[in-house]
């Protein structure tokens, strides 16, 4: 089970994220009904990053984590840009993607900003940065609108928590620079409907935050900044931290020596590069990375155990990518086949590995050896094929592989590359006198850990390639697909538990088909 958890954690760390854009208001946003200009973006600017400006219709871009990884925690992300622009990637989308890897739902807020009169909003803004008092005066009418957008965002996510898979009591807000002003302003003034459960200002500007006492029920706060902030904002974070702890509220401050202002997710090869990891540690310490659903697969493990499993998986990826160690001891214990023994090795992924657990009777009392490893792709199997198949001296190898290649578990692959890797395993076996059974890929309409990849037709195409190769080379082709596919070319509901992996009923369908294929291959060996 531990190896399955490690594999799942590593697969989820490469998962893609579903996104949708949500308008915050059905009608023109209150307070800016007369704003008629359109939102724009540019990457050709002094900051060298993608910038959004002239936001008049506030939106949330939802980045929802894979449901297998989802913790139920959500964060509203407010990019910075002096209330004139939004650094949408460095302080928005890139943060959201990182949070998704932790199972946190992220919502990037495009809040209302001051209208730019040119197509170079950064140059226009930089000309104003020399006089903060004047800039504050220009921003003053817009700041309350932006703060209202932040509160509305929290309110929206809380109202739609059930459909978004979110715990309504685990919704936080974080912001960068001006976005930090917004987030902090929300932390000082809220109603029950839009109260953040935690707040994370990152190098916030406090000059535009209305002065008021720390609320009696103020949320926990995580603060990050750099001492060498070129806008002189380091002291703003220190004062905010002091105010919070003076009120005996939960707060954590990370003040880096170097990093400047606006480091966000930008990599500078200095310690600020890892501030987001410290935020992850803090979320974990607050219990926000442990799923609230008691039926979640990870609920039985402590956060420390899950962290240890993840670290083990990362270590394995660096030092044993193909997981050669998994069966090394078991292989050493195996003796050479006895005279007349029709040893069979099953090589595959989680579908093969899970067979022994779901239906151990299929293997009991038979010279069958299971060498399936959860999550594996064909290039990993090729690497371990000699150790886990050839050196065991079987008469037959049953190869079931390919679905994780289509899922992209170890990176993008074409169907032709997958076919060629399977052919390589077949040729290696034949070169050592081992008969081959090539299995079709099991049907799957979608992958729950990577939804939206539409694997069904890709599996059909790969199976056609494998069958054609098998027929051309007098290799036994084992067709699981035809017996297990529904009208969508997905796995029949009654034969699996998640649309990909067979349950006991599924394995009971597979067993006689495998036995027949093995018998054919053994007949060829005589």
């Amino acid at each position: 089970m531990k190896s399955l958890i490690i594999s799942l954690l590593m697969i989820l760390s490469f998962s893609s994220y579903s996104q949708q854009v949500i308008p915050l208001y059905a009608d023109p946003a209150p307070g800016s009904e007369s704003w008629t200009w359109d939102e724009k973006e540019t990457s050709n600017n002094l900051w060298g990053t993608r910038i959004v400006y002239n936001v008049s219709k506030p939106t949330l871009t939802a980045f929802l984590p894979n449901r297998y990884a989802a913790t139920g925690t959500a964060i509203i992300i407010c990019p910075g840009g002096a209330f004139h622009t939004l650094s949408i990637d460095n302080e928005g989308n890139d943060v959201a993607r990182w949070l998704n890897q932790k199972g946190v739902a992220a919502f990037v807020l495009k809040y209302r900003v001051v209208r730019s009169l040119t197509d170079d909003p950064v140059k226009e803004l930089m000309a104003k940065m020399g006089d903060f008092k004047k800039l504050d005066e220009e921003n003053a009418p817009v700041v309350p609108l932006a703060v209202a957008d932040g509160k509305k965002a929290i309110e929206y996510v809380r109202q739609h928590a059930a459909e978004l898979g979110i715990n309504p009591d685990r919704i936080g807000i974080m912001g960068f620079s001006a976005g930090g002003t917004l987030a902090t302003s929300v932390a000082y003034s809220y109603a029950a409907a839009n109260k953040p459960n935690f707040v994370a200002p990152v190098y916030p500007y406090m000059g535009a935050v209305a002065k008021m006492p720390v609320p009696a029920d103020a949320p926990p706060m995580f603060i990050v900044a750099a001492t060498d902030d070129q806008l002189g904002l380091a002291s703003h974070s220190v004062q905010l931290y002091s105010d919070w702890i003076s009120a005996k509220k939960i707060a954590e401050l990370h003040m880096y020596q170097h990093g400047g202002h606006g480091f966000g997710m930008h990599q500078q090869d200095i310690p600020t590069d890892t501030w987001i990891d410290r935020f992850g540690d803090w979320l974990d310490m607050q219990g926000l990375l442990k799923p609230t659903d008691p039926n979640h697969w990870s609920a039985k493990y402590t956060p420390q155990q899950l962290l240890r499993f993840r670290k083990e998986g990362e270590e394995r990826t660096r030092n044993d990518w193909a997981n050669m160690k998994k069966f090394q001891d078991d292989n050493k214990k195996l003796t050479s086949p006895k005279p007349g023994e029709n040893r069979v090795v099953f090589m595959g992924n989680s579908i093969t590995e899970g067979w022994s657990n779901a239906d151990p009777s299929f293997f009991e009392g038979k010279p069958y050896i299971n060498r399936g490893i959860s999550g594996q792709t064909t290039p990993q199997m090729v690497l371990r094929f000699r150790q886990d198949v050839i050196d065991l001296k079987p008469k037959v190898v049953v190869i079931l592989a390919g679905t994780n290649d289509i899922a992209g578990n170890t990176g993008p692959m074409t169907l032709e590359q997958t076919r060629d890797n399977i052919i390589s395993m077949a040729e290696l076996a034949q070169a050592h006198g081992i008969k081959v059974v090539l299995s079709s890929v099991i049907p799957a309409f979608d992958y729950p850990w990577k939804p939206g990849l539409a694997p069904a037709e890709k599996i059909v195409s790969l199976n056609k390639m494998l069958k054609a190769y098998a027929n051309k080379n007098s290799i036994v082709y084992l067709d699981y697909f035809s017996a297990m596919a529904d009208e969508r070319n997905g796995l029949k509901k009654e034969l699996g538990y998640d649309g990909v992996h067979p349950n006991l009923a599924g394995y009971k369908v597979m067993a006689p088909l495998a036995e027949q294929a093995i018998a054919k291959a053994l007949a060829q060996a005589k």
Side-chain angles (χ1 to χ4, degrees):
M1 177 58 72
K2 177 181 174 182
S3 65
L4 291 174
I5 296 298
I6 291 174
S7 297
L8 181 58
L9 286 170
M10 295 310 296
I11 291 168
L12 292 177
S13 70
F14 293 102
S15 293
S16 56
Y17 321 111
S18 62
Q19 300 171 30
Q20 62 182 113
V21 177
I22 304 165
L24 268 188
Y25 304 95
D27 299 315
S32 59
E33 292 87 351
S34 63
W35 292 14
T36 58
W37 48 88
D38 294 326
E39 175 185 309
K40 296 182 179 180
E41 69 173 58
T42 177
S43 298
N44 184 20
N45 56 69
L46 292 172
W47 294 344
T49 188
R50 192 162 67 101
I51 296 298
V52 170
Y53 62 106
N54 284 353
V55 178
S56 59
K57 299 178 178 63
T59 63
L60 285 173
T61 300
F63 290 74
L64 301 181
N66 183 285
R67 66 183 179 88
Y68 274 70
T71 60
T73 298
I75 299 181
I76 312 297
I77 303 171
C78 311
F83 292 104
H84 278 60
T85 66
L86 302 178
S87 183
I88 201 66
D89 291 325
N90 185 49
E91 297 174 347
N93 298 340
D94 294 344
V95 180
R97 295 185 183 98
W98 188 93
L99 289 168
N100 276 179
Q101 293 179 6
K102 297 293 185 181
V104 176
F107 299 82
V108 178
L109 174 63
K110 290 182 181 178
Y111 54 89
R112 285 171 284 181
V113 295
V114 173
R115 184 185 185 186
S116 296
L117 301 178
T118 70
D119 289 330
D120 192 344
V122 174
K123 183 178 180 180
E124 192 176 334
L125 172 61
M126 295 302 289
K128 305 174 183 179
M129 293 295 287
D131 189 340
F132 266 77
K133 182 178 179 181
K134 188 175 180 180
L135 183 61
D136 280 346
E137 290 174 353
E138 182 178 2
N139 289 343
V142 174
V143 172
L145 303 181
V147 173
D149 294 341
K151 293 179 179 179
K152 182 68 174 179
I154 295 173
E155 185 177 330
Y156 177 91
V157 173
R158 185 161 284 136
Q159 287 176 343
H160 295 82
E163 65 194 74
L164 293 168
I166 290 165
N167 184 328
D169 296 323
R170 288 170 65 162
I171 301 171
I173 187 168
M174 71 185 304
F176 300 76
S177 192
T181 305
L182 189 165
T184 304
S185 296
V186 173
Y188 270 106
S189 175
Y190 45 77
N194 53 41
K195 178 188 175 182
N197 299 110
F198 57 95
V199 186
V202 182
Y203 40 84
Y205 173 61
M206 299 298 293
V209 177
K211 300 298 182 183
M212 59 184 72
V214 175
D217 61 344
M221 183 174 286
F222 176 91
I223 311 167
V224 184
T227 303
D228 64 350
D229 187 308
Q230 57 267 41
L231 300 184
L233 302 187
S235 60
H236 293 219
S237 292
V238 173
Q239 186 61 53
L240 179 59
Y241 171 75
S242 297
D243 291 345
W244 233 248
I245 62 171
S246 294
K248 299 186 177 353
K249 304 304 174 186
I250 296 172
E252 182 167 310
L253 169 65
H254 290 258
M255 183 61 70
Y256 291 90
Q257 180 180 357
H258 296 297
H261 186 81
F263 48 82
M265 297 296 283
H266 179 58
Q267 297 294 293
Q268 304 180 81
D269 297 322
I270 56 177
T272 47
D273 292 354
T274 61
W275 76 266
I276 191 74
D277 297 302
R278 305 293 72 77
F279 182 47
D281 294 340
W282 184 82
L283 290 172
D284 198 7
M285 287 294 293
Q286 304 305 311
L288 295 167
L289 297 185
K290 185 173 179 59
T292 53
D293 180 2
N295 297 316
H296 192 276
W297 63 269
S298 67
K300 66 178 71 173
Y301 302 101
T302 67
Q304 291 74 23
Q305 286 176 312
L306 292 173
L307 179 61
R308 186 165 65 251
F309 293 159
R310 185 181 293 277
K311 287 182 177 178
E312 288 180 23
E314 292 171 350
E315 183 72 14
R316 179 191 298 164
T317 299
R318 286 191 295 269
N319 299 320
D320 186 12
W321 183 68
N323 204 355
M324 304 288 284
K325 292 181 180 178
K326 181 175 177 68
F327 293 116
Q328 279 183 349
D329 291 342
D330 290 339
N331 290 343
K332 289 177 183 178
K333 295 174 184 177
L334 279 173
T335 59
S336 296
K338 299 175 182 179
E341 178 183 333
N342 292 325
R343 178 173 291 179
V344 180
V345 173
F346 288 75
M347 171 59 106
N349 47 45
S350 58
I351 295 171
T352 298
E353 182 176 12
W355 201 335
S356 293
N357 296 322
D359 187 15
S361 64
F362 177 74
F363 293 87
E364 290 171 357
K366 301 170 188 173
Y368 292 172
I369 301 171
N370 190 325
R371 289 296 178 262
I373 297 182
S374 177
Q376 284 218 327
T377 56
T378 58
Q380 293 173 304
M381 294 182 201
V382 169
L383 283 177
R384 65 182 182 90
F385 196 80
R386 178 175 295 276
Q387 169 190 291
D388 290 343
V389 178
I390 296 171
D391 291 350
L392 306 187
K393 298 180 173 58
K395 285 190 177 178
V396 177
V397 60
V398 180
I399 302 172
L400 172 54
T403 201
N404 289 329
D405 296 41
I406 294 172
N409 280 12
T410 54
M413 290 185 64
T414 65
L415 296 180
E416 289 75 16
Q417 289 172 327
T418 300
R419 175 203 61 196
D420 291 347
N421 284 338
I422 293 173
I423 289 174
S424 294
M425 287 188 276
E427 290 177 345
L428 282 169
Q430 290 174 319
H432 289 81
I434 302 168
K435 290 300 178 180
V436 177
V437 173
L438 281 188
S439 307
S440 70
V441 178
I442 300 294
F445 183 75
D446 203 3
Y447 296 129
W449 66 94
K450 280 193 176 180
L453 293 181
E457 295 310 311
K458 297 172 187 175
I459 291 173
V460 170
S461 297
L462 178 57
N463 284 341
K464 288 180 180 177
M465 293 180 185
L466 296 177
K467 185 175 182 179
Y469 171 78
N471 291 341
K472 182 178 179 180
N473 293 275
S474 301
I475 291 174
V476 176
Y477 179 70
L478 170 50
D479 184 9
Y480 292 128
F481 185 93
S482 297
M484 304 180 78
D486 62 16
E487 67 281 357
R488 305 180 305 166
N489 284 330
L491 182 63
K492 290 179 181 178
K493 186 175 181 179
E494 65 271 19
L495 299 182
Y497 60 86
D498 64 354
V500 177
H501 298 90
N503 54 19
L504 179 58
Y507 284 119
K508 290 299 185 183
V509 171
M510 294 169 65
L513 298 175
E515 295 280 19
Q516 293 168 18
I518 292 168
K520 288 181 182 178
L522 289 172
Q524 290 178 348
K526 294 179 180 178

